[in-house]
Amino acid sequence: MEKIGKRFQGKVAIVTASTQGIGFGIAERLGLEGAAVVISSRRQPNVDEAVEKLKNQGIEVMGLVCHVSNAQHRKDLIKNTIQKYGKLDVVVCNAAANPSVDGILETKESVLDKLWEINVKTSILLLQEVAPHLNKGSSIVFVSSIAGFHPPKGLAMYGVTKTALLGLTKALAAEMAPDTRVNCVAPGFVPTHFASFLTTDEEMKRSLEEKTLLNRLGTTQDMAAAVAYLASDDAAYVTGETLIVAGGMPSRL
Ligand code: NAP
C-alpha cells in the first residue's frame, strides 16, 4: 500500500455496504488515495468500528447507518454527504444478499423479491437520488460477481441478479454519459463473511482455487484496486464495461 497514488485527492466517494469485506476494502483504498469516504451498513456498531479503523489510517471518513432497502436511509446518506462535503464524485454500489442456496425453481417468492431488491433495485433507487448531485467527471461502479457470468449451483438466482448488473452498467452508461461514467467489477471468490460458506470448507476452497489460473482466491485489496482504477481518471475513456477480477477463472456469458 506504500506506493499507491493520490488519484482521489479532493474527491468525495460513497461506498454502500462498506463496514467490512470488499466494501470496506474499497473505502479504504479510495480513502488512502485521498478521497473523503462515506461508509455505511445496517448496524451502528459496525459503522463505528469501521470509521475508527479508517480514521486511524488518516482517512477523512463519515459513517452512517444505511440499510440499502430503507428509502429514508438512502435519502439521509445523500443528504448528509452533500451537507458535509458539498459534492459527490464517486458512488460504489456494493450491497448484496444471498439468502438461499435453493435451485431457482424451488426459490420462494419472498426470496426472489429480496434478491432482486437488495442486489439490483436498491442500487437503481440510490442512483436516482444521487444523480442530481453528481459532478461532471463523476463515476459509478457496481459490484457484480463472477457468478453473474456463470450462475453456479447454490448461487444460481443470486448469480442471475449479478448478471442483471452487467446490463444495468451498459444501460446507465448510455443514460449518464458524457458527464458520468458507469462501470462494474465482477469479483471472483474472496474469503469474506459473505462467502464463508464456500471458503471455510477446505475442500471447497481448494476446488475454487483450482478453477483460477493464479491458484488462489481473491483478496479485498484485489477488488479495491480494480474499483479504484475504474472510478479514477485513469479510466477516463472507459464506460459501460465490466472488469472481471477472478484470477483467470472462466467467465463468459
Ligand atoms: P461481507 O464481507 O459479508 O460484507 C458485507 C457488508 O455489507 C457488511 O459491511 C455488512 O454490514 C453490509 N451489508 C449487508 N447487507 C446490507 C444491506 N442490506 N444494506 C447495507 N449494508 C449491508 O460481503 P462481501 O463478500 O464483501 O460482499 C460485498 C459485495 O461483493 C457483494 O455485492 C457481493 O455480492 C460481492 N461479491 C462477493 C464475492 C465474495 O466471494 N466475497 C464474490 C463476488 C461478488 P452490516 O452487517 O452492518 O449491514
Side-chain angles (χ1 to χ4, degrees):
M1 283 282 184
E2 275 158 26
K3 286 191 188 148
I4 65 167
K6 288 282 177 191
R7 292 176 293 185
F8 297 97
Q9 203 75 57
K11 305 239 168 150
V12 179
I14 287 179
V15 185
T16 65
S18 44
T19 57
Q20 64 177 21
I22 292 170
F24 180 83
I26 295 166
E28 182 180 47
R29 175 73 193 236
L30 299 180
L32 288 172
E33 288 211 44
V37 288
V38 181
I39 64 160
S40 60
S41 77
R42 293 167 300 181
R43 297 186 183 92
Q44 187 70 56
N46 295 351
V47 173
D48 294 343
E49 196 184 317
V51 164
E52 201 53 34
K53 281 191 201 155
L54 295 173
K55 277 197 174 146
N56 286 342
Q57 298 183 68
I59 291 169
E60 171 57 41
V61 55
M62 175 166 68
L64 295 163
V65 167
C66 177
H67 188 316
V68 292
S69 288
N70 184 314
Q72 192 58 49
H73 287 183
R74 292 193 304 266
K75 267 194 196 340
D76 290 346
L77 181 68
I78 313 302
K79 192 181 85 192
N80 284 297
T81 302
I82 299 299
Q83 255 170 17
K84 175 144 191 200
Y85 296 114
K87 64 177 196 137
L88 187 49
D89 303 285
V90 174
V91 179
V92 182
C93 296
N94 172 66
N98 181 34
S100 153
V101 293
D102 290 342
I104 291 174
L105 297 181
E106 284 82 48
T107 302
K108 288 198 188 97
E109 186 174 353
S110 59
V111 174
L112 293 173
D113 287 344
K114 182 166 185 189
L115 279 162
W116 158 247
E117 179 179 312
I118 307 269
N119 298 2
V120 184
K121 192 176 86 172
T122 57
S123 294
I124 299 172
L125 294 172
L126 182 74
L127 293 178
Q128 288 177 351
E129 297 272 348
V130 157
H133 303 287
L134 287 173
N135 283 328
K136 190 170 168 52
S138 53
S139 178
I140 309 294
V141 183
F142 290 110
V143 178
S144 174
S145 170
I146 188 76
F149 288 83
H150 184 77
K153 195 164 175 263
L155 286 170
M157 193 56 216
Y158 160 84
V160 173
T161 63
K162 293 296 193 178
T163 313
L165 294 181
L166 312 184
L168 189 60
T169 300
K170 288 279 180 211
L172 283 180
E175 208 169 304
M176 299 177 84
D179 288 351
T180 301
R181 295 180 300 102
V182 183
N183 290 293
C184 180
V185 166
F189 290 90
V190 182
T192 62
H193 176 69
F194 186 82
S196 57
F197 73 107
L198 296 169
T199 55
T200 50
D201 177 298
E202 264 312 307
E203 204 177 313
M204 176 75 83
K205 178 168 171 267
R206 250 196 320 278
S207 91
L208 290 172
E209 285 167 348
E210 280 165 10
K211 287 194 179 116
T212 71
L213 299 179
L214 301 181
N215 260 324
R216 66 170 177 89
L217 300 183
T219 64
T220 59
Q221 289 89 351
D222 291 328
M223 306 311 140
V227 171
Y229 161 66
L230 287 171
S232 78
D233 290 344
D234 283 345
Y237 200 49
V238 180
T239 194
E241 301 298 345
T242 295
L243 179 53
I244 298 151
V245 188
M249 199 176 255
S251 53
R252 228 177 115 221
L253 274 181

